[in-house]
Amino acid sequence: HGGGIDLIFPHHENEIAQSRCTNDTKIFANYWIHNAFITMSNEKMSKSQGNILKIKDYRKKISGQILRLALISAHYKQPLDWNDKLLNDCQSTINKWYNVYMPAEVDLNEEILKPLFDDINTPGYIANLHGLYDKALKGNDHDKIFFTKACNFIGLLNETKEEWLNYKKEKANITEIEIKNKINLRNNARANKDYK
């Protein structure tokens, strides 16, 4: 059971008391997870302050993979500052990781998953992914397959490379025709020695 760290007292303590009495049990939940706040410009995000961002609104503009990586980039017990730089960095990471994408079914070893067994240490797991990416970049198909599977385990690289590239094209602010026109203009200017 879980929620924000602000719910520990009195909300969760009252919930424990009420649930134990109602259900005549000594234990309400075996595991508790209390997450730190998401902030914007280091200010707590809350309904009362009117600075709530809804994931469903972002989902229309940004890939779910980018949102997922952004949300797990900090340990759940640590605050996460939500900003454009975070999202841009996560998109750059996903773009880079798709360079070694290779789908297949393999089993992950416990060593790779170790950070997740340590209080769901997602930043530690992401650090492992960066190491696996470096190995895949220099390595063979097996290294790429293993890296992709490790990403899939936390819901990343869960689209084919073609689907990812199509998503990027759909979200681009410029069309392929506009790009080709700009290239032609540049080539013509270069041929005419019009360097301005």
Side-chain angles (χ1 to χ4, degrees):
H1 196 70
I5 55 173
D6 57 332
L7 297 179
I8 295 172
F9 178 83
H11 181 76
H12 283 161
E13 289 193 10
N14 288 338
E15 194 175 5
I16 291 167
Q18 293 165 357
S19 296
R20 284 176 58 190
C21 291
T22 300
N23 297 306
D24 193 27
T25 182
K26 292 184 180 191
I27 297 173
F28 171 63
N30 291 322
Y31 302 98
W32 288 86
I33 296 177
H34 291 99
N35 59 284
F37 298 123
I38 295 178
T39 60
M40 291 179 62
S41 303
N42 295 315
E43 186 175 309
K44 177 186 166 194
M45 194 183 296
S46 68
K47 289 182 208 169
S48 61
Q49 294 187 9
N51 62 351
I52 292 289
L53 299 174
K54 297 180 180 175
I55 293 296
K56 69 178 182 175
D57 296 334
Y58 269 92
R59 183 65 177 103
K60 295 172 187 170
K61 300 180 223 172
I62 299 172
S63 164
Q65 293 187 78
I66 297 167
L67 295 173
R68 181 175 290 114
L69 184 58
L71 288 168
I72 65 173
S73 64
H75 191 278
Y76 75 89
K77 288 183 180 177
Q78 300 300 317
L80 173 65
D81 196 47
W82 193 261
N83 56 62
D84 289 339
K85 183 182 181 323
L86 171 67
L87 296 173
N88 290 335
D89 289 350
C90 290
Q91 179 161 349
S92 294
T93 297
I94 298 284
N95 283 334
K96 179 177 78 169
W97 285 356
Y98 263 107
N99 288 328
V100 297
Y101 173 85
M102 188 169 282
E105 288 299 316
V106 294
D107 292 327
L108 297 176
N109 60 42
E110 222 173 275
E111 190 60 32
I112 297 302
L113 301 174
K114 199 173 186 179
L116 297 177
F117 295 139
D118 181 18
D119 196 22
I120 315 172
N121 181 359
T122 52
Y125 189 78
I126 292 169
N128 279 354
L129 291 179
H130 284 292
L132 290 173
Y133 168 78
D134 291 340
K135 186 176 179 185
L137 195 58
K138 300 169 192 165
N140 57 28
D141 287 353
H142 176 74
D143 296 327
K144 292 175 182 175
I145 290 166
F146 193 78
F147 167 72
T148 301
K149 184 63 178 179
C151 288
N152 292 163
F153 188 77
I154 57 168
L156 301 176
L157 303 192
N158 54 2
E159 301 168 348
T160 66
K161 189 170 185 176
E162 292 74 28
E163 289 171 325
W164 177 251
L165 292 174
N166 286 335
Y167 162 79
K168 285 174 46 178
K169 280 183 186 177
E170 289 171 11
K171 297 297 178 187
N173 292 329
I174 189 168
T175 66
E176 193 170 338
I177 293 168
E178 291 171 312
I179 292 170
K180 287 180 179 178
N181 287 338
K182 291 289 184 187
I183 290 171
N184 287 334
L185 287 172
R186 183 188 65 195
N187 289 340
N188 289 338
R190 190 181 287 158
N192 295 328
K193 299 190 185 299
D194 181 6
Y195 297 112
K196 283 185 183 179

